[in-house]
């Protein structure tokens, strides 16, 4: 089990990278709490790699205060089964919270990934972005919730979900939800789930690439929004190696 707490004082900045690796079979619990003070900024990037036979429960709670900003960039590349939830609480006026998640399942894995962004102050902005790839006979589920509480005027809640289904028996489910208790707000969500674009695949293969390499290039481009958040070439190499192992 792991439990951590991150506190950013007012006007501070932190870039944090987290790598979670568990190889011992059994249950694993992970809890992370982060507090972003007034005018503070947090950039939190994480890669989770739990091996076969690990049942992982991951919880991240993020509290953002006045004029604070937090970007959570999360890559779930585990080989075990995962129950993950990220909660963002916008506690101060003009707080800005972003959650970007990529998850890739293969074989007979099951991932259930949920994000809640809760607007508890006026003029707050919340964004959820999900990118998923489901292969073989696996199941991947995203559930994103944008909640704007009463009197939290001029707040904005947005959500985007994109996914690629590779395996014939693979499942990729998306449940975007908006819970709005105020009129003077902006809110919206969208989802695009399907197989690899055949025209893109044909174009690359017509240039002499084998189908496996063509599929890999398309998936690599699809996951670019998360890859760009990784701070070093070494981290990007870890990310791409894990993705390649689960998709090719």
């Amino acid at each position: 089990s792991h439990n951590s707490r991150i506190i950013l004082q007012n006007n501070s900045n932190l870039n944090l990278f987290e790598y979670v690796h568990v190889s011992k079979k059994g249950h694993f619990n992970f809890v992370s709490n982060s507090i972003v003070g007034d005018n503070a900024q947090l950039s939190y990037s994480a890669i989770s790699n739990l091996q076969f036979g690990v049942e992982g429960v991951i919880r991240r709670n993020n509290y953002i205060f006045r004029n604070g900003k937090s970007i959570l960039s999360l890559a779930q590349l585990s080989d075990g089964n995962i129950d993950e939830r990220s909660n963002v609480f916008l506690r101060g006026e003009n707080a800005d919270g972003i959650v970007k998640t990529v998850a890739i399942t293969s074989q007979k894995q099951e991932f259930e990934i949920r994000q809640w962004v809760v607007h508890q102050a006026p003029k707050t902005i919340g964004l959820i972005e999900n990118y998923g790839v489901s292969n073989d006979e696996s199941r991947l589920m995203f559930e994103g919730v944008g909640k704007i509480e009463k009197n939290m005027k001029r707040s904005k809640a947005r959500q985007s979900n994109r996914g690629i289904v590779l395996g014939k028996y693979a499942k990729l489910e998306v449940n975007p939800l908006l819970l709005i208790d105020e009129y003077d707000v902006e809110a919206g969500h969208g989802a695009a789930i399907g197989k690899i674009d055949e025209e893109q695949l044909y174009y690359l293969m017509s240039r002499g690439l084998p189908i496996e390499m063509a599929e890999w290039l398309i998936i690599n481009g699809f996951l670019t929004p998360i890859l760009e958040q990784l701070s070093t070439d070494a981290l990007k190499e870890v990310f791409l190696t894990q993705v390649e192992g689960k998709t090719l």
Side-chain angles (χ1 to χ4, degrees):
S1 296
H2 172 89
N3 194 318
S4 64
R5 189 175 188 185
I6 303 160
I7 301 175
L8 272 69
Q9 295 183 348
N10 296 347
N11 305 303
S12 62
N13 294 276
L14 175 64
N15 294 319
L16 172 70
F17 178 79
E18 178 181 85
Y19 183 70
V20 182
H21 176 79
V22 179
S23 58
K24 185 178 179 181
K25 293 182 179 180
H27 292 276
F28 176 75
N29 295 317
F30 179 97
V31 178
S32 174
N33 293 290
S34 54
I35 299 172
V36 180
D38 295 353
N39 302 298
Q41 293 192 23
L42 171 64
S43 178
Y44 183 129
S45 303
I47 294 178
S48 297
N49 178 17
L50 280 61
Q51 298 299 292
F52 288 107
V54 179
E55 300 284 337
V57 176
I58 297 175
R59 299 289 182 266
R60 293 186 175 93
N61 300 303
N62 184 219
Y63 304 87
I64 311 172
F65 291 86
R66 186 173 180 273
N67 295 320
K69 183 173 183 178
S70 177
I71 301 176
L72 307 182
S73 302
L74 312 174
Q76 184 51 259
L77 307 177
S78 296
D79 291 320
N81 293 329
I82 299 297
D83 175 358
E84 178 172 318
R85 178 162 171 171
S86 301
N87 301 308
V88 176
F89 301 96
L90 302 171
R91 292 282 181 87
E93 190 170 302
N94 294 313
D96 189 344
I98 299 172
V99 186
K100 295 184 178 183
T101 304
V102 60
I104 302 175
T105 55
S106 60
Q107 300 191 35
K108 295 185 178 181
Q109 284 183 278
E110 290 197 9
F111 284 9
E112 292 191 353
I113 298 178
R114 296 175 173 85
Q115 304 102 345
W116 277 70
V117 176
V118 184
H119 299 253
Q120 298 177 323
K123 302 179 184 178
T124 51
I125 299 175
L127 172 62
I128 298 172
E129 288 187 12
N130 290 322
Y131 302 84
V133 180
S134 182
N135 200 4
D136 302 322
E137 300 176 52
S138 62
R139 173 179 173 265
L140 171 58
M141 188 275 285
F142 287 116
E143 183 176 273
V145 179
K147 178 175 174 55
I148 300 179
E149 297 184 348
K150 191 171 180 60
N151 298 322
M152 305 310 153
K153 297 181 183 296
R154 286 180 281 175
S155 291
K156 300 177 181 180
R158 298 191 180 96
Q159 183 176 165
S160 173
N161 298 277
R162 299 178 61 199
I164 295 176
V165 180
L166 294 178
K168 180 179 179 180
Y169 301 103
K171 296 180 180 179
L172 204 166
E173 305 168 19
V174 174
N175 302 316
L177 301 171
L178 293 171
L179 305 177
I180 311 299
D181 292 328
E182 179 56 56
Y183 292 101
D184 186 14
V185 299
E186 295 180 24
H189 61 71
I193 309 297
K195 297 183 179 297
I196 285 180
D197 188 295
E198 292 186 1
E199 291 187 3
Q200 292 182 5
L201 196 60
Y202 175 79
Y203 175 81
L204 292 173
M205 293 176 65
S206 71
R207 296 298 185 270
L209 292 177
I211 187 170
E212 293 84 2
M213 180 58 68
E215 288 182 342
W216 166 240
L217 287 176
I218 293 171
I219 293 170
N220 190 11
F222 172 74
L223 299 176
T224 295
I226 291 293
L227 185 63
E228 290 176 344
Q229 302 299 318
L230 303 181
S231 56
T232 68
D233 290 340
L235 298 178
K236 292 177 182 179
E237 184 176 348
V238 169
F239 178 85
L240 291 173
T241 299
Q242 288 296 112
V243 172
E244 183 176 356
K246 294 173 72 65
T247 57
L248 297 183

